[in-house]
Amino acid sequence: MTARLPSLNGLRAFEAAARHLSFTLAASELNVTQTAISHQIRRLEEELGIRLFIRQNRALALTPEARDYLPGVRAAFNDLRLATDRLLRKDDDKVLTVSTIASLAAKWLLPRLTDFQESHPGIDVRITTSTSLVDFQRDNVDAAIRYGRGQWPGVRADWLMADELFPVCSPSLLRGDKPLRTPADLKDHVLLHTNNSDDWRLWLTAAGLATGMSQQPGITFDMTFMTVQAAIDGMGVAMGRTSYVQDDIAKGRLVVPFRIALPSNAGFYLVSPDGRRETPKLAAFRQWLIAATQNKTHGINSLEPEIH
């Protein structure tokens, strides 16, 4: 005998309250009153004949039965959202959604994207930024550009490019009172950092300098493109990656004070679902992106400003 499905409103209230462990936050998310959430949960518990929540000292906890029930309920709602999204996205074959890192989008991808749009005017490209790995079963994303070694399970990873690491700064710093002639001169300058990056310490080791120099007073930013912009503005010396700084060097906004570069031990990949039927829009983007990265200069010695 097939079990009767419980109230959909009750299941929605349960999933939201279990995620937040709060009836108040669940009510705010679902745009109903806290009393309504309480009634829906109580009705669901009566339908199931199972207690779902334990209320203790203003805290809310799941019963063991609720913890077992929650993953299936959450997966069912995710499936409903995906099915509805596919139903309503009538222009799915024309919309290409690509997830990437914010700094790569700002400093490398966006300046080149016009070329793809001119070649493929029928494809509507949408760029989203995130540092998290994409879940192609859950996220509304066709492909992602990610940094790593390309060993991600369940996806196709197409190699795009690697970077070198080297200091960059505004041309004005080379003409200042404390010019940068040798790497040791960095002790007289502000070092610009990006959160959770070890690039300065690695480069200083390669240059034969004390790694403690990387801990001298400096400025730290959340994202690489902010660090690069601070260097352009003359705030200090940043550790550049080829993909993020090559255009600014070509335009004369940045210079490379020392010819010492550290090869990166990873690279950028175009990641897409493995085993899924290839769509024309994704095939076109992959072909264009690989060609664009092959035209990219790789070595520090090839990074020179344009002559006007």
Side-chain angles (χ1 to χ4, degrees), residues 189-266:
H189 291 267
V190 174
L191 300 188
L192 306 174
H193 302 266
T194 304
N195 264 341
N196 302 317
S197 171
D198 206 24
D199 290 352
W200 266 117
R201 187 186 63 81
L202 293 173
W203 185 87
L204 288 168
T205 299
L209 297 173
T211 57
M213 189 182 294
S214 66
Q215 299 174 0
Q216 67 190 42
I219 306 174
T220 301
F221 300 89
D222 285 340
M223 296 183 180
T224 303
F225 76 87
M226 298 169 65
T227 310
V228 172
Q229 186 59 50
I232 293 172
D233 293 340
M235 296 175 63
V237 185
M239 184 56 58
R241 287 177 174 266
T242 315
S243 299
Y244 296 156
V245 300
Q246 62 174 342
D247 290 346
D248 293 314
I249 292 171
K251 299 297 183 182
R253 293 187 287 261
L254 289 173
V255 293
V256 183
F258 320 116
R259 294 294 170 176
I260 302 174
L262 181 68
S264 173
N265 62 354

Side-chain angles (χ1 to χ4, degrees), residues 148-159:
R149 294 180 175 85
Q151 299 173 350
W152 300 288
V155 299
R156 171 178 172 175
D158 291 280
W159 168 260

Side-chain angles (χ1 to χ4, degrees), residues 100-101 104 133 144-152 157-165 241-244 262-271 293 296 298:
T100 187
I101 304 167
L104 184 71
L133 293 179
I145 303 174
R146 286 293 180 267
Y147 185 80
R149 294 180 175 85
Q151 299 173 350
W152 300 288
D158 291 280
W159 168 260
L160 297 177
M161 56 189 172
D163 283 328
E164 289 182 336
L165 312 178
R241 287 177 174 266
T242 315
S243 299
Y244 296 156
L262 181 68
S264 173
N265 62 354
F268 289 100
Y269 291 81
L270 178 66
V271 180
T293 55
K296 167 184 174 293
H298 291 275

Side-chain angles (χ1 to χ4, degrees), residues 74-151:
R74 182 167 293 163
F77 275 111
N78 283 337
D79 287 345
L80 283 171
R81 292 186 187 100
L82 287 172
T84 303
D85 184 67
R86 285 193 294 267
L87 176 67
L88 298 178
R89 285 182 65 197
K90 301 182 185 301
D91 295 331
D92 184 65
D93 59 333
K94 298 180 181 179
V95 177
L96 178 73
T97 304
V98 179
S99 171
T100 187
I101 304 167
S103 294
L104 184 71
K107 303 303 294 183
W108 192 88
L109 180 60
L110 296 185
R112 292 163 173 78
L113 201 55
T114 300
D115 178 66
F116 177 78
Q117 293 177 310
E118 290 176 349
S119 302
H120 302 85
I123 299 177
D124 180 9
V125 181
R126 300 181 183 178
I127 304 296
T128 66
T129 60
S130 171
T131 57
S132 302
L133 293 179
V134 171
D135 183 341
F136 289 108
Q137 296 297 322
R138 179 196 64 203
D139 302 331
N140 186 20
V141 171
D142 297 294
I145 303 174
R146 286 293 180 267
Y147 185 80
R149 294 180 175 85
Q151 299 173 350

